[in-house]
Amino acid sequence: MTGRLVHLNTAGAGLVPDGVRRTMADVLDREAATGCYETEGHLDGIVNDEVYRRLARVLGAPVGDVALFDSATRAWCAVVPRLGLGPGDRVWVTPYEYAGNLISLFNLRDRTGCRIEVVPTLPGGDLDLDWMAANIADDVALVSVTHIPSGCGIVNPVEEIGRILAPYRCFYAVDACQSIGQIPVDVTRIGCQLLTGAGRKFLRGPRSTAFAYVAPELRAALATDFHDLHVARIDSATGYRVHDDSARSLELAERSTAAVAGFNTALTLFEEGTPFDHKDVFQALRATLEEVPGLDLVAPGARQSGILSFRHPAVPAETIVARLAEQHVNAWKIVGHHTPLYMAERGVDTAVRVSAHYYNTLDEIDRFGHALRGALGERA
C-alpha cells in the first residue's frame, strides 16, 4: 500500500504543523547568528509573556496560575511530592493512573505515611461516582484523576468528580496529557487545583514542552524546602532570576527558547480553530477494529475518545506495528506497566494503540483497516 502517511499515534506525539516547525527553525537560526541568550532576550515578549497568556486562555485559568515545564511528569513532580501530608491522610487514585504519577505518590506515601486508596470502577470500567460521594471525607487530602489514560480511550468525568469534591478540603489533581487539545478542558469547570499536560500530543507542539495549572491555595500549601531546585523566571531587564508567588516560581530554570516559541505557535493555531467535533472519525476507528475477527479491544467506559488499544491472540503487538509501518501507517506498541492498576492487573502486557485526531480522515481510517488486515495476514 502506498500513499500519504496515516498518522495514528497522536497519543504519542502529534504531527507538528508547518508553522511550529518554521518558528523553531527561525529561533535556532537566530541563536546560531546572534547567540542563545541574546535570542531569548529578543523574544522576551513571546517566551516570558505571550505563551503564558495563550496557555491560560486554553485552560480557562488566570495567567499567574500556569507554569511551563519540559515534561508533564516533571510538572507533576514539581508539585505533588511537596505536599505536606501525614499518616492520617488518604490519597485517592483511579485504576487509570499513569505509572510516573504513581511512583511519585508511592514515594510520598513511603515518606509521609499517608494511605493510597484506589477508586473502584463499575463493571463496564466507569469510575464509581456513588462510591466517591459516599466515602469522601475531610481525611482525603488528595484526589488524582487521569482525564484520558494513555493506553485506552475512556474519558473520565472530571467535572462531575470536581463537584463531589468541592465541599471538602482535599486537593484535586487532573492529568490532562491525553485530553488537552483533543476535548475541551477548563480548570474552572473541573474545579481542580492542579492540572498537568504535555504540549507534544493533541496540541501538536514540540517535544520538551509541558505545563501545569497550580491554584494559589495549592501553591500556599506546598513545602518550602525546594528553593535550591525550583527557581522562578528570568527578569529580562536585569538578567537575574526573581521569585514571585505565581505558578512560575515552580519552574525549572533552563529551557529551550525554540521549544517554548514553537509551543506558543502551536497554542496560537489551536486558539484559531482546532475543531473538537470529529466523532465520526473516532466512531469509524472503533468500528474498523470491531470488524476485525479475533481482536481484543481495550476500551472500558461509556464515553470514549480517539484512543483505542487492541491485542491479537496470534500476532504480537510489535509485529503488527512494524507491518503497519511498512504500509505507511503509524501505530504504537504500549506496555501494560505504564498503566499498572488497570492494564497490568488485567493481564495486558502489550497492545497496539491507535489514536486519531482532527487531521485524520475517514479515508485514512479505511486505509488503516485494509493495512491492519494485511498485517494480520487476512484478506482485505
Side-chain angles (χ1 to χ4, degrees):
M1 179 178 295
T2 60
R4 172 171 90 83
L5 175 72
V6 178
H7 186 67
L8 294 177
N9 189 26
T10 299
L15 294 177
V16 174
D18 286 342
V20 173
R21 179 183 56 81
R22 287 195 299 269
T23 294
M24 297 180 70
D26 289 345
V27 172
L28 292 174
D29 287 345
R30 188 179 184 95
E31 287 183 343
T34 68
C36 293
Y37 292 114
E38 291 75 11
T39 299
E40 183 178 8
H42 176 76
L43 297 174
D44 178 73
I46 293 175
V47 300
N48 285 316
D49 182 53
E50 183 180 325
V51 65
Y52 291 94
R53 295 186 184 279
R54 290 193 183 279
L55 179 59
R57 288 197 295 270
V58 168
L59 298 177
V63 67
D65 294 346
V66 298
L68 297 179
F69 295 87
D70 59 357
S71 79
T73 299
R74 205 183 305 273
W76 177 272
C77 291
V79 177
V80 173
R82 299 173 58 184
L83 289 172
L85 305 187
D89 291 320
R90 291 191 289 159
V91 174
W92 283 0
V93 299
T94 78
Y96 303 108
E97 196 78 37
Y98 174 61
N101 297 350
L102 280 175
I103 291 171
S104 292
L105 290 169
F106 290 155
N107 289 339
L108 183 67
R109 176 198 61 191
D110 294 343
R111 190 175 72 252
T112 67
C114 68
R115 290 178 292 151
I116 295 178
E117 299 175 356
V118 181
V119 175
T121 59
L122 300 173
D126 288 308
L127 297 177
D128 190 339
L129 300 187
D130 290 339
W131 181 94
M132 297 183 78
N135 287 275
I136 184 65
D138 280 333
D139 62 345
V140 178
L142 174 67
V143 175
S144 177
V145 177
T146 299
H147 197 178
I148 298 176
S150 63
C152 59
I154 185 174
V155 181
N156 285 315
V158 291
E159 293 183 13
E160 291 88 335
I161 292 171
R163 288 193 286 271
I164 293 172
L165 303 179
Y168 297 87
R169 65 109 177 177
C170 66
F171 291 120
Y172 179 24
V174 173
D175 180 343
C177 263
Q178 300 293 358
S179 59
I180 186 72
Q182 181 179 185
I183 61 176
V185 173
D186 186 303
V187 298
T188 301
R189 292 178 60 87
I190 294 171
C192 58
Q193 288 75 47
L194 173 65
L195 184 140
T196 57
R200 74 179 188 274
K201 299 176 185 287
F202 292 88
L203 287 174
R204 302 183 66 189
R207 295 185 71 176
S208 298
T209 57
F211 57 87
Y213 156 76
V214 190
E217 60 269 28
L218 177 55
R219 299 199 300 273
L222 299 181
T224 58
D225 57 348
F226 278 65
H227 287 312
D228 57 332
L229 296 178
H230 299 280
V231 294
R233 61 185 173 86
I234 297 176
D235 182 271
S236 59
T238 65
Y240 291 104
R241 304 190 184 281
V242 294
H243 290 272
D244 56 34
D245 60 358
S246 74
R248 283 192 244 183
S249 63
L250 301 169
E251 291 180 354
L252 300 175
E254 194 63 34
R255 61 183 183 173
S256 164
T257 302
V260 174
F263 186 39
N264 182 70
T265 298
L267 292 170
T268 303
L269 296 173
F270 177 80
E271 283 191 291
E272 288 176 351
T274 297
F276 285 123
D277 187 15
H278 33 267
K279 292 182 180 178
D280 56 340
V281 173
F282 294 172
Q283 292 168 352
L285 180 62
R286 178 159 185 160
T288 296
L289 293 174
E290 290 176 336
E291 291 170 359
V292 177
L295 286 189
D296 175 25
L297 282 186
V298 183
R303 185 184 175 195
Q304 292 286 316
S305 66
I307 302 174
L308 282 168
S309 295
F310 62 90
R311 297 183 292 172
H312 190 273
V315 187
E318 58 267 26
T319 300
I320 296 173
V321 171
R323 290 175 179 174
L324 288 173
E326 292 172 355
Q327 301 181 74
H328 307 285
V329 176
N330 285 346
W332 197 249
K333 185 188 87 168
I334 62 169
V335 290
H337 63 253
H338 284 177
T339 317
L341 298 182
Y342 182 79
M343 294 287 198
E345 289 189 1
R346 284 158 178 79
V348 180
D349 297 323
T350 62
V352 178
R353 182 185 67 195
V354 288
S355 48
H357 200 19
Y358 70 88
Y359 47 63
N360 294 120
T361 66
L362 293 174
D363 178 66
E364 289 183 340
I365 302 304
D366 185 61
R367 283 182 54 200
F368 161 67
H370 285 279
L372 178 59
R373 288 180 178 275
L376 298 175
E378 299 180 6
R379 293 183 178 179

